């Protein structure tokens, strides 16, 4: 690895030669470094006014400057001798505090909390084998451009307008499709990708053509329970008649309980796979979803 002082000297030479209108290609020949190294040196000087290496990033900051100022102001109001922001940061680190985004949770009223608790108590004595007999299902929208999970990057304040640091947005997410999927203890089940809005007719058609093959695939005919949430078309009379016709036993499910359904984690896995794809049409989205 090249010594730091030598790198600093080369960067200074790049800047000096550039100021007398020598091209990057000519500078690279004169100094004996690559053209890209010359360009990085000039960019570094333009942004920082320095030739030295930037400080190593290390661990990300746990608290931002605003948080520290607020803590310092409130704390110093109660102390005879004021403390610095650095002292506060060091002590918070020692106590195990981290600067993290708040976890989002749904609002639960008293009835929802009571129903969730009762559900947990009702099934608290189930064995692992009983849980293995459940087919978990869900429906979700996937978009051509808009992703389910937020895309985070590391950038400086000055880089916020760079194309590589921005996320492209389009009306309606650039087009979407609906996705029905299932998982069991034995693996994933059949899935359906479709463009129409989900209603009782569509859902009953899914049950006819996609649920029964899953049951047959994993030989669960006599023992399984089917899990879905409390969407209107799940609870409609038409759907209930279809369950009776097919002999499906439905698992009781509390409202606002996405966190209890393990298939929710699968959507995150699929969405992360879509992030690496450059999608521009619904057709490409369908192909990417099928492959994922």
């Amino acid at each position: 690895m090249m010594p730091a002082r030598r790198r600093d000297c080369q960067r200074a030479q790049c800047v000096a030669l550039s100021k007398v209108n020598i091209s990057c290609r000519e500078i690279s020949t004169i100094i004996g470094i690559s053209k890209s190294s010359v360009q990085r040196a000039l960019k570094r000087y333009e942004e920082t006014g320095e030739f030295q290496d930037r400080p190593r990033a290390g661990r990300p900051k746990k608290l931002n400057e605003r948080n520290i100022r607020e803590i310092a102001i409130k704390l110093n109001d109660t102390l005879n001798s004021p403390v610095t922001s650095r002292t506060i940061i060091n002590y918070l680190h020692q106590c195990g505090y981290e600067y993290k985004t708040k976890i989002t949770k749904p609002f639960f009223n008293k009835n929802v909390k009571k129903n969730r608790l009762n559900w947990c108590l009702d099934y608290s004595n189930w064995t692992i084998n009983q849980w293995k007999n459940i087919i978990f299902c869900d429906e979700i929208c996937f978009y051509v451009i808009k992703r389910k999970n937020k895309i985070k990057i590391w950038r400086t304040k000055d880089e916020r307008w760079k194309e590589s640091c921005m996320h492209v947005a389009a009306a309606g997410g650039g087009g979407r499709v609906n996705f029905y999927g299932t998982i069991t203890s034995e693996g994933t089940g059949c899935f359906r990708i479709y463009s129409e809005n989900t209603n009782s007719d569509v859902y009953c058609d899914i049950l006819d053509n996609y649920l029964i093959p899953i049951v047959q695939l994993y030989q669960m005919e006599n023992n399984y329970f089917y899990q879905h949430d409390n969407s209107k078309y799940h609870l409609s009379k038409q759907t209930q008649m279809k369950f009776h016709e097919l002999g499906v036993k439905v698992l009781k499910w509390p409202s606002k309980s996405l966190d209890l359904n393990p298939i929710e984690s699968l959507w995150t896995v699929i969405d992360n796979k879509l992030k690496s794809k450059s999608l521009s049409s619904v057709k490409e989205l369908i192909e990417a979803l099928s492959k994922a």
Side-chain angles (χ1 to χ4, degrees):
M1 182 179 293
M2 186 184 300
R5 292 187 63 182
R6 184 180 173 188
R7 288 199 301 270
D8 297 344
C9 181
Q10 288 180 339
R11 290 171 187 146
Q13 289 176 313
C14 291
V15 173
L17 292 171
S18 175
K19 286 185 176 181
V20 293
N21 298 321
I22 297 178
S23 68
C24 291
R25 185 179 298 278
E26 291 175 313
I27 294 173
S28 69
T29 303
I30 295 170
I31 301 178
I33 59 177
S34 67
K35 180 183 174 182
S36 60
S37 296
V38 175
Q39 293 170 334
R40 285 197 298 270
L42 297 177
K43 180 181 178 183
R44 181 193 299 267
Y45 182 77
E46 181 182 348
E47 293 177 349
T48 66
E50 298 179 351
F51 310 118
Q52 293 78 19
D53 284 332
R54 292 189 179 113
R56 298 295 182 185
R59 297 176 64 186
K61 289 184 178 180
K62 314 261 183 180
L63 299 168
N64 60 28
E65 293 181 4
R66 181 180 178 183
N67 298 135
I68 298 301
R69 286 198 301 270
E70 292 174 352
I71 294 173
I73 291 171
K74 292 180 180 179
L75 184 59
N76 285 330
D77 286 342
T78 66
L79 299 175
N80 294 326
S81 300
V83 296
T84 64
S85 297
R86 172 49 55 188
T87 300
I88 295 172
I89 292 174
N90 290 339
Y91 186 72
L92 288 172
H93 286 178
Q94 292 173 13
C95 294
Y97 283 91
E98 297 180 343
Y99 182 63
K100 298 289 185 180
T101 303
K102 282 186 176 182
I103 296 174
T104 302
K105 65 180 287 292
F107 171 74
F108 292 154
N109 59 31
K110 289 183 179 180
N111 287 334
V112 171
K113 291 179 180 179
K114 181 180 178 181
N115 290 337
R116 281 168 58 90
L117 175 59
N118 288 336
W119 184 89
C120 292
L121 293 174
D122 288 342
Y123 293 95
S124 61
N125 293 323
W126 267 32
T127 65
I128 292 178
N129 286 334
Q130 285 176 299
W131 287 111
K132 284 183 176 180
N133 289 328
I134 297 178
I135 297 175
F136 291 93
C137 92
D138 196 22
E139 304 87 47
I140 187 172
C141 285
F142 283 105
Y143 293 84
V144 173
I145 295 177
K146 184 170 65 176
R147 297 273 65 81
K148 177 179 181 289
N149 305 313
K150 292 182 179 180
I151 300 174
K152 296 183 178 180
I153 60 168
W154 287 100
R155 64 159 177 82
T156 66
K157 183 178 179 181
D158 295 333
E159 293 175 330
R160 65 187 183 278
W161 297 115
K162 286 189 175 181
E163 185 173 354
S164 60
C165 296
M166 292 188 288
H167 176 64
V168 177
R176 67 170 177 84
V177 294
N178 289 316
F179 189 100
Y180 166 86
T182 58
I183 59 173
T184 74
S185 62
E186 298 295 326
T188 55
C190 301
F191 66 90
R192 177 180 173 183
I193 300 173
Y194 54 102
S195 58
E196 62 265 44
N197 292 326
T198 311
N199 54 30
S200 295
D201 289 333
V202 172
Y203 194 62
C204 287
D205 181 69
I206 289 174
L207 294 175
D208 267 330
N209 295 290
Y210 295 87
L211 173 59
I212 300 307
I214 299 167
V215 175
Q216 295 171 344
L217 175 64
Y218 293 118
Q219 299 179 353
M220 303 174 70
E221 287 88 346
N222 300 320
N223 301 315
Y224 78 94
F225 279 85
Y226 180 73
Q227 178 278 333
H228 61 180
D229 58 32
N230 296 305
S231 298
K232 289 184 178 180
Y233 53 83
H234 289 169
L235 303 179
S236 69
K237 289 184 178 180
Q238 182 179 347
T239 300
Q240 298 309 309
M241 291 177 60
K242 178 59 65 176
F243 283 142
H244 180 73
E245 175 189 330
L246 298 175
V248 176
K249 295 180 292 185
V250 179
L251 184 72
K252 183 176 71 174
W253 198 252
S255 60
K256 296 187 177 181
S257 296
L258 298 177
D259 56 315
L260 300 179
N261 191 349
I263 202 171
E264 292 293 333
S265 300
L266 186 62
W267 303 147
T268 300
V269 172
I270 293 176
D271 194 72
N272 285 335
K273 290 185 177 182
L274 295 180
K275 283 182 184 179
S276 63
K277 308 291 184 183
S278 179
L279 305 176
S280 59
S281 67
V282 170
K283 180 181 178 181
E284 292 179 356
L285 174 61
I286 292 174
E287 291 174 353
L289 278 172
S290 300
K291 184 175 181 181

